[in-house]
Structures are given as C-alpha cells and as structure tokens.
Amino acid sequence: MGLRLIAAVIVEAGWEIVENSPLIIERYRHATMALGYSGDTVINSVSDISAMILGFVIARRLPWWGTVVVAIGFELLALAVIRDNLTLNIWMLVAPSDAIRAWQAGG
C-alpha cells in the first residue's frame, strides 16, 4: 500500500502543478465559467492532496464497486448543489459547450 499511496500522491501533486500552470489557468478562463480564475491557493492544493489521500484510504477498504458508487455519488452531489464537478470540468476543458456554460451560470 505504501508505494501505491506515494505514487498516488505524486500523481495528484503533479496534477496540482499542471492545473495551476498559466496554460491551464487561461484555458479555464476561456472555456469554463471561471472567468476571473487565477489558480488555486496553496491551502486549496494541500486540501486537494489531503482529500485524495483520504479517498485513497477509503477506496482501499471498500470493494471496487463501492468506490465507483461513492465517486459517482460525489459527482452527482456536486452537480446538483453547485452545478460543477470533475466531469464537467474535463468536458469544458476538452470540448467547451455554450449550453453547459449557460446552465452553470443559472440560465
């Protein structure tokens, strides 16, 4: 488990670096509702890594299907509560949609 956790932390930390690079920040500004986005704070990035570690520990204890159910549940909860989630972020970065942008804005 130790090596897997270390690998997962390295991947997450790498994503945090990429996510806060000028290229991705500009893409977020142009493709999503994050018009004034200027990158994550250090505390946000540390919190993201901490949440990933917690998720790793929980996923290790759950059966694979339980992990999938929890992940889908969190995605749907975020979608319902704040009209945003990882799936929509990836979608909007890869193939921006005016319809999704309008829906996220409450229109």
Side-chain angles (χ1 to χ4, degrees), residues 16-31:
E16 290 298 324
I17 291 167
V18 170
E19 180 185 31
N20 289 291
S21 69
L23 178 71
I24 298 298
I25 289 171
E26 273 307 306
R27 183 72 179 150
Y28 271 126
R29 286 181 186 157
H30 287 27

Side-chain angles (χ1 to χ4, degrees), residues 29-107:
R29 286 181 186 157
H30 287 27
T32 69
M33 288 300 301
L35 301 176
Y37 181 66
S38 60
D40 292 343
T41 62
V42 172
I43 191 74
N44 180 273
S45 292
V46 170
S47 296
D48 287 351
I49 293 169
S50 299
M52 184 280 309
I53 293 169
L54 178 62
F56 182 96
V57 171
I58 292 169
R60 185 169 186 277
R61 288 178 166 72
L62 291 176
W64 71 266
W65 56 266
T67 302
V68 171
V69 167
V70 169
I72 291 171
F74 277 131
E75 282 289 281
L76 293 174
L77 178 65
L79 187 67
V81 174
I82 63 171
R83 295 182 184 220
D84 198 15
N85 61 23
L86 178 61
T87 304
L88 281 181
N89 270 294
I90 293 169
W91 185 337
M92 293 298 286
L93 286 173
V94 173
S97 165
D98 289 335
I100 292 173
R101 191 177 294 117
W103 176 78
Q104 285 183 309

